[in-house]
Amino acid sequence: MYELPLFPLNTVLFPGMPLSLHVFEERYKAMIGHCVPHREPFGVVLIRHGLEVGAQAEPYSVGCTAHITHLQALEEGRFNLIAVGRDRFRIHELRSDRPYLVGVVENLPAPDPHLSAMPAADRKLRPLVSRYLDMLADASNSELDLGQLPEDPVELGYLAASVLQLPAKEKQPLLDMDDGLALMKTLARLYRREMALLPLLLRSPEVDEPGPFSLN
């Protein structure tokens, strides 16, 4: 276990997925000021109770480490940054003795992509993701170019979870899953459901998380 600075957000970050942030609160400027020179990640955790700005929020227990890949310094010590998710972790203890929240965490193992049933699950999920992205593009009259879908089934699963247009609290259980096969099967079921409901969901004010991007 180790200490990890935590950034509670109203989004779920999955391994391999990008995160774009505008950092302006003093506590998070201090956090980034610690992470950058030490080349350390911070942890992104979904807020269970509370807000992104203001008093300290209560996070869910499972999050994802975020490794900074690009940093743009702005006036007044603010930052724009891009980070990429890497490792899932579980919080065992929260500490509030610094300006920002710190967790005592342990990394969780990556789901095994080599189970014998994974290729069949991959073959079912992959065309659903492609079709879903096409439907999103058609509905928004734009092109969603994510490049070629990942060959690795678990990477495909995390991409599928990230782009799925669901409220963050419905995505959190997907990040919690240790079983890669269960993740793939759950996603396939969700994609079938959401593809039937997509026209309505795109008009719903409750679905306000288009992807793994958030502003602080």
Side-chain angles (χ1 to χ4, degrees):
M1 290 193 287
Y2 62 99
E3 288 191 350
L4 182 69
L6 298 179
F7 205 141
L9 293 169
N10 287 315
T11 192
V12 178
L13 179 64
F14 291 91
M17 296 296 103
L19 175 73
S20 177
L21 288 171
H22 173 64
V23 180
F24 63 87
E25 279 196 86
E26 292 299 326
R27 56 182 166 174
Y28 296 125
K29 289 193 290 186
M31 186 185 77
I32 299 304
H34 166 81
C35 291
V36 170
H38 292 89
R39 298 186 178 181
E40 294 179 358
F42 59 92
V44 172
V45 280
L46 177 64
I47 294 172
R48 185 189 296 270
H49 300 295
L51 301 172
E52 287 187 349
V53 178
Q56 203 70 268
E58 176 191 345
Y60 283 84
S61 61
V62 174
C64 183
T65 61
H67 292 254
I68 299 170
T69 61
H70 178 76
L71 186 71
Q72 179 188 16
L74 304 172
E75 295 179 354
E76 301 176 353
R78 296 174 293 117
F79 298 99
N80 286 332
L81 68 82
I82 297 174
V84 176
R86 183 173 297 177
D87 300 307
R88 295 186 310 133
F89 62 83
R90 184 180 303 279
I91 300 171
H92 288 271
E93 180 184 346
L94 291 173
R95 295 179 177 172
S96 303
D97 55 346
R98 302 182 201 176
Y100 47 87
L101 195 62
V102 174
V104 178
V105 309
E106 66 169 336
N107 285 353
L108 297 174
D112 187 352
H114 302 298
L115 298 175
S116 59
M118 286 293 276
D122 180 282
R123 287 193 296 272
K124 291 180 180 178
L125 178 60
R126 189 172 297 272
L128 293 174
V129 177
S130 295
R131 176 58 182 150
Y132 182 80
L133 293 174
D134 288 342
M135 292 175 68
L136 286 179
D138 290 343
S140 60
N141 294 316
S142 63
E143 293 185 8
L144 296 176
D145 184 10
L146 297 181
Q148 186 175 357
L149 295 179
E151 293 296 329
D152 180 86
V154 175
E155 291 179 12
L156 173 67
Y158 285 141
L159 173 64
S162 184
V163 300
L164 191 59
Q165 302 294 288
L166 288 179
K169 289 186 178 181
E170 293 186 35
K171 291 188 175 186
Q172 181 65 35
L174 301 173
L175 183 66
D176 294 350
M177 287 186 176
D178 296 323
D179 186 329
L181 183 59
L183 174 65
M184 301 285 281
K185 289 182 175 180
T186 300
L187 283 165
R189 183 169 64 251
L190 288 171
Y191 265 79
R192 292 189 189 98
R193 184 192 76 184
E194 296 306 306
M195 286 169 69
L197 299 174
L198 186 57
L200 176 61
L201 289 172
L202 289 172
R203 295 192 297 270
S204 172
E206 295 183 1
V207 180
D208 57 0
E209 188 195 5
F213 301 93
S214 179
L215 294 180
N216 165 246

